[in-house]
Structure formats: C-alpha cells, structure tokens
Amino acid sequence: ARTSEEMLSFLNFCAKFHQYSAGNIWLILLAKPDASYVAGFHKWKSMGRWVRKGEHGIPILAPILVKDENEDDVERKYLVGFKIVYVFDVSQTDGEPLPPIPDWKSPEKNEELNQKLIQFARGQGISVSFNNLNGDAQGVSKGGEIVIDPSAGTKTLIHEIAHELMHKDEDNHQSLAIKELEAESVAYVVSKHFGITGLNSPNYIALHNASTSELVSQMDRIRNTANNIISAISPQS
C-alpha cells in the first residue's frame, strides 16, 4: 500500500466491479488485469452480445445455496459451499454496443453527483451543509451531520459520508489511521466509478502507514460501503 501500485489496482477494480466480493475482485484482477466489464456467458447473451469462440473465461467463486422450508412454510436459503464459475470481459465479446456511460466526468467536482450524494445522505438521516472551515479542513463528520467547505471537491463529500456510514457508531474503537484508510478508500472507489479525476487518495492512504494485515482485514468493509453508495445513486450500474 505504501508504494500504492497494488492498492491502486485493487481500488480501481472495486470501482468497476463493486458488486463482487473482495476475493472475486482479486481473482478477476489476477486473471485479466485489463478487464473493464465482466458478466457470465448467458448474461452477455441476454444483452445481445456473445462470447467469441476460443475465449477463456475468468474463474470466480459463486455461492451454492440450498432452499429449505421451515414449519411455517417460509422458504429460506442456506449457504453450503462455493463453486467455480466463469465470467467474460466485454473485450472477449461481440454484438450490440453497451449503453453509453453517463457523463459524470469533471476535474474535481460534479454538481449533479453532489446533489445525488446529498440526497443519499439525507435518506440515511445525515444532514449536509456547506460552510467555511478553519485551516486546511475540507470536510467534517459530526455524527449525523456533515459540514463541507465550499472549496472542497466531490471526493471530500463521499469521504465524509463514508465516515458517517462506517464510524458514527459510539462502539467503534478503530484507530484514526484505520478510519481514514476506510473512508478515503471508499471515497476513491466511488469517485473513480463516477469518473471524478484528480484523485490523490493512494498518497493520502499511504500517509496513514497502515499495515498489510490491517489493509486485508478492511477490504470487504471498504468494498461493501462503496457498493452501497454506488448502487443507491446509480442502480443501473
């Protein structure tokens, strides 16, 4: 993480594959580092595309769920294991073009995305206001309230929302370094997903000097929180 390369690769993949588990993101990254959008054979077919003959699938793990009904005739699903399944990158397919990507891009700030983030925050019971902050502070999370400096970019707003979602619980005793690692990683993933440029998160993360074991233990929390934000703002993604 201190050299940023592996961590940056992982976070870039999270931005593209936020719906996958941390383990499956690693598997996609290892098998095809240049992958940009993956889906199963039949999913591609349903989208009017087909996998080219001779292409090798990317192996990931899928849960094996067994259905069961209790005495109240309520159906439940139980995880009993995992199996290998294969997905294919869009570069391995031909057919109908994918829908155009929304034009989210902006050097630092995207007002439309900001409004969607504010609406998301309010839906979580978090108020957002914009006021001048002292010193170099760009944003503050106060437990149910976020204050953003008017000069701050979109990533700062995402960072503070991540703090609210992950750290406002009074029983959360994580160190400041881990809290910042998590919040900034989520901010990077979400910003990257929506095309925000000028991101300095890897350097910011490295400053907190988190250990390898700390990074690994937080991966799925980072991925889950980023996925929750992305899916709420852009369900079609």
Side-chain angles (χ1 to χ4, degrees), residues 39-154:
F41 181 90
H42 295 291
K43 178 66 174 177
W44 280 124
K45 189 175 180 180
S46 72
M47 296 170 68
R49 298 186 68 86
W50 59 91
V51 177
R52 289 194 296 268
K53 186 176 181 180
E55 293 286 355
H56 296 285
I58 302 167
I60 62 172
L61 294 174
I64 301 172
L65 301 174
V66 175
K67 295 181 181 180
D68 190 20
E69 292 185 359
N70 60 21
E71 56 187 14
D72 298 322
D73 294 329
V74 177
E75 187 179 272
R76 299 181 184 277
K77 293 182 178 180
Y78 297 93
L79 177 66
V80 297
F82 293 86
K83 62 181 178 181
I84 296 175
V85 298
Y86 293 89
V87 293
F88 299 85
D89 184 57
V90 63
S91 64
Q92 299 174 288
T93 68
D94 292 314
E96 295 294 325
L98 294 179
I101 299 172
D103 185 14
W104 294 105
K105 293 184 178 181
S106 176
E108 298 256 348
K109 187 184 296 186
N110 184 302
E111 293 297 344
E112 183 179 359
L113 180 56
N114 272 13
Q115 290 304 312
K116 290 179 181 293
L117 288 164
I118 291 169
Q119 291 173 11
F120 168 76
R122 289 173 178 166
Q124 304 297 311
I126 305 164
S127 66
V128 179
S129 60
F130 292 83
N131 290 295
N132 292 323
L133 296 174
N134 294 327
D136 294 328
Q138 292 282 286
V140 179
S141 168
K142 298 183 176 182
E145 179 186 2
I146 291 172
V147 181
I148 301 294
D149 191 273
S151 66
T154 298

